[in-house]
């Protein structure tokens, strides 16, 4: 009968199905695309994710907070305006850079025409999806959000397989991902179009100024925090590329696709519902504690099975090139276990509008991570992953404590 649990179930079941589809087709993808292809895809996704979370100035994160729907819609529109503006700037910069690049450099970095268009399109489509996702969360349209996730998976992975047989083979994984994201955006558009039509155009400029001033903390603190958070997640991508090569990066990225990304997306789904629930719940501390207990139980169920699967299973499933995938998964599971739990309750910080604490935590995390990788650069891959995992456990447990005490202090005041 709990509406909170019901919403969690609706959104998470959709997200789980959306993650199962690419996992089901993964053995086909790994036989068509090489670790190098997956490495290039990981690099592309890293670029557009960074652009998508920064070019909106993180105003979409504040969409669930205003009391009036008209204010929330205005935040969505401002987010999209900044997204579109910066996407055009990025396209023009890529066009300018490409005109001065030698042909060999062109080919090496795949910036010969198609990538100039794919990067801004990818950033714009992902940024728009994030905005629409926040709006649908405000209205608690979790069925729509689930359908959009499932549709994205149903289109992106099969499209990648089909594109392998086309002249765009090298970009199959990338273009498939973009097609799925654009169609997923279309599924979430309807509810916000109705709201936009009800806006008072005469007062929009004045209201926009007030909202920017009220939620400036999201611009000043949430935006740099998101950049640092992204860099912390992707720092290992650059580290592996530099010290172990793109093939090892491809192996790690596949391990992350099998366990890290699904857990992250499911965790973010819980996080989405928790954030909305926090704005309406009377006993917010109780919701926090129950969420931590529930996430611990679910995280345990999702990670422990990977320790029971023998490494030989991945050779049979994926092919001999992917022999180390199971080993990588086991090494990063402790970190993913703890991150899954405390990522969900971290919106408590945004709810209290104490975003500066999240930024401070992220700065410390980033600096310590850079120091860690400087110290372990001469170690082998397995040792690096083990230390990286242990470090993540400590830092995310600390984030959980910060979230709890800030929420408790906010309620007391």
């Amino acid at each position: 009968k709990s509406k909170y649990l019901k919403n969690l179930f609706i959104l998470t079941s959709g997200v789980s199905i959306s993650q199962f589809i690419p996992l089901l087709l993964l053995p086909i993808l790994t036989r068509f695309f090489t670790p190098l292809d997956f490495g290039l895809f990981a690099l592309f996704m890293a670029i557009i994710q960074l652009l998508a979370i920064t070019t909106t100035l993180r105003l979409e994160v504040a969409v669930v907070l205003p009391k009036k729907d008209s204010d929330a819609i205005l935040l969505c529109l401002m987010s999209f305006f900044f997204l579109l503006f910066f996407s055009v700037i990025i396209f023009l910069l890529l066009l300018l850079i490409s005109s001065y690049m030698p042909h060999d450099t062109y080919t090496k970095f795949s910036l010969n025409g198609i990538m100039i268009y794919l990067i801004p399109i990818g950033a714009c489509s992902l940024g728009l999806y994030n905005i629409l996702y926040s709006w649908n969360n405000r209205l608690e349209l979790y069925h729509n959000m689930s359908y959009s996730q499932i549709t994205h998976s149903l289109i992106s992975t099969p499209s990648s397989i089909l594109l392998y047989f086309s002249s765009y083979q090298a970009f199959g994984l990338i273009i498939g991902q973009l097609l799925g994201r654009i169609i997923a955006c279309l599924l979430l558009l309807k509810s916000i179009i109705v709201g936009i039509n009800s806006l008072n155009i005469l007062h929009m400029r004045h209201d926009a100024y007030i909202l920017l001033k009220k939620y400036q903390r999201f611009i000043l603190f949430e935006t740099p925090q998101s950049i640092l958070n992204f860099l912390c997640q992707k720092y290992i991508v650059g580290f592996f590329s530099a010290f172990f090569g793109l093939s090892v990066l491809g192996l790690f990225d596949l391990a992350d696709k099998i366990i890290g990304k699904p857990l992250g997306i499911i965790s973010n789904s819980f996080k989405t519902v928790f954030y909305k629930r926090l704005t309406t719940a009377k006993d917010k501390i109780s919701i926090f504690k129950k969420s931590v207990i529930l996430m611990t139980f679910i995280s345990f169920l999702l990670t422990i099975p990977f320790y029971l699967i023998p490494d030989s299973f991945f050779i049979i499933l994926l092919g001999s090139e992917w022999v180390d995938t199971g080993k990588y998964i086991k090494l990063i599971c402790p970190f993913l276990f703890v991150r899954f739990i405390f990522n969900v309750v971290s919106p408590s910080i945004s709810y209290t509008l104490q975003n500066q604490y999240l930024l401070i935590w992220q700065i410390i995390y980033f600096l310590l991570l850079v120091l860690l990788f400087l110290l372990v650069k001469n170690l082998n891959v397995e040792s690096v992953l083990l230390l990286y995992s242990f470090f993540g456990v400590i830092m995310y447990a600390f984030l959980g404590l910060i979230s709890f005490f800030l929420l408790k202090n906010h309620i007391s005041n």
Side-chain angles (χ1 to χ4, degrees), residues 53-54 57-59 61 212-230 349-350 352-363:
I53 62 175
T54 54
L57 302 184
R58 301 303 282 160
L59 288 172
V61 180
L212 281 174
K213 190 174 181 179
K214 183 176 182 179
Y215 296 109
Q216 62 181 321
R217 287 175 175 269
F218 287 87
I219 300 173
L220 297 175
F221 300 119
E222 193 78 28
T223 303
Q225 181 273 326
S226 298
I227 295 171
L228 286 173
N229 179 52
F230 174 84
I349 300 173
S350 296
T352 62
L353 294 179
Q354 299 294 312
N355 309 67
Q356 68 271 21
Y357 288 100
L358 187 57
L359 177 59
I360 292 168
W361 174 85
Q362 198 68 69
I363 291 171

Side-chain angles (χ1 to χ4, degrees), residues 2 5 35 45 54 62 102 129 145 174 186 233 246 256 270 288 312 319 370-371 401:
S2 168
L5 289 177
M45 289 304 298
T54 54
Y129 184 80
M145 295 158 74
I174 294 171
L186 295 176
Q233 291 180 32
L246 278 178
D256 194 42
F270 281 119
F288 186 100
S312 57
V370 172
L371 178 62
L401 288 173

Side-chain angles (χ1 to χ4, degrees), residues 85-299:
F85 173 77
F86 287 117
S87 294
V88 172
I89 296 297
I90 291 161
F91 169 71
L92 294 175
L93 284 173
L94 288 174
L95 206 60
L96 181 64
I97 292 168
S98 67
S99 64
Y100 289 99
M101 269 190 176
H103 181 71
D104 289 344
T105 311
Y106 248 10
T107 307
K108 184 177 179 181
F109 293 98
S110 302
L111 199 61
N112 50 346
I114 191 167
M115 290 297 283
I116 295 172
Y117 298 98
L118 292 182
I119 289 173
I121 290 172
C124 199
S125 61
L126 183 57
L128 176 60
Y129 184 80
N130 292 339
I131 294 168
L132 296 173
Y133 205 75
S134 294
W135 170 253
N136 279 262
N137 180 36
R138 177 184 173 83
L139 299 184
E140 299 187 11
L141 299 175
Y142 296 111
H143 283 98
N144 288 358
M145 295 158 74
S146 291
Y147 295 148
S148 72
Q149 294 270 17
I150 295 170
T151 302
H152 173 258
S153 291
L154 282 172
I155 291 171
S156 60
T157 309
S159 296
S160 296
I161 295 171
L162 291 174
L163 285 162
Y164 176 82
F165 300 99
S166 73
S167 57
Y168 297 105
Q169 181 188 104
F171 303 98
L173 290 169
I174 294 171
I175 298 174
Q177 180 72 209
L178 294 185
L179 287 173
R181 186 64 65 194
I182 290 168
I183 293 173
C185 284
L186 295 176
L187 293 177
L188 297 177
L189 267 174
K190 184 179 178 181
S191 61
I192 199 168
I193 289 174
V194 175
I196 290 171
N197 291 333
S198 65
L199 283 177
N200 188 331
I201 299 174
L202 296 175
H203 297 142
M204 277 180 64
R205 187 174 177 181
H206 177 259
D207 292 344
Y209 173 76
I210 293 173
L211 287 171
L212 281 174
K213 190 174 181 179
K214 183 176 182 179
Y215 296 109
Q216 62 181 321
R217 287 175 175 269
F218 287 87
I219 300 173
L220 297 175
F221 300 119
E222 193 78 28
T223 303
Q225 181 273 326
S226 298
I227 295 171
L228 286 173
N229 179 52
F230 174 84
L231 291 176
C232 288
Q233 291 180 32
K234 298 303 179 182
Y235 190 81
I236 195 168
V237 172
F239 181 84
F240 275 168
S241 298
F243 290 93
F244 300 116
L246 278 178
S247 292
V248 173
L249 172 60
L251 285 167
F252 173 76
D253 183 62
L254 184 66
D256 194 42
K257 281 184 189 301
I258 292 172
I259 178 67
K261 284 187 172 64
L263 280 179
I265 292 172
I266 293 170
S267 175
N268 283 333
S269 300
F270 281 119
K271 179 181 178 179
T272 299
V273 181
F274 172 81
Y275 189 23
K276 171 60 182 174
R277 179 60 180 147
L278 206 58
T279 63
T280 57
K282 292 182 179 179
D283 191 348
K284 302 182 192 303
I285 295 296
S286 176
I287 287 292
F288 186 100
K289 291 178 178 178
K290 288 177 181 178
S291 296
V292 169
I293 294 169
L294 180 62
M295 293 310 111
T296 302
F297 175 71
I298 293 171
S299 186

Side-chain angles (χ1 to χ4, degrees), residues 14-48:
V15 170
S16 300
I17 294 169
S18 73
Q19 291 306 295
F20 179 73
I21 294 166
L23 284 176
L24 193 66
L25 296 174
L26 195 57
I28 300 174
L29 284 175
T30 55
R31 280 164 173 79
F32 286 153
F33 297 98
T34 66
L36 187 63
D37 294 326
F38 275 90
L40 178 63
F41 176 66
L43 198 59
F44 173 82
M45 289 304 298
I47 293 169
I48 69 164

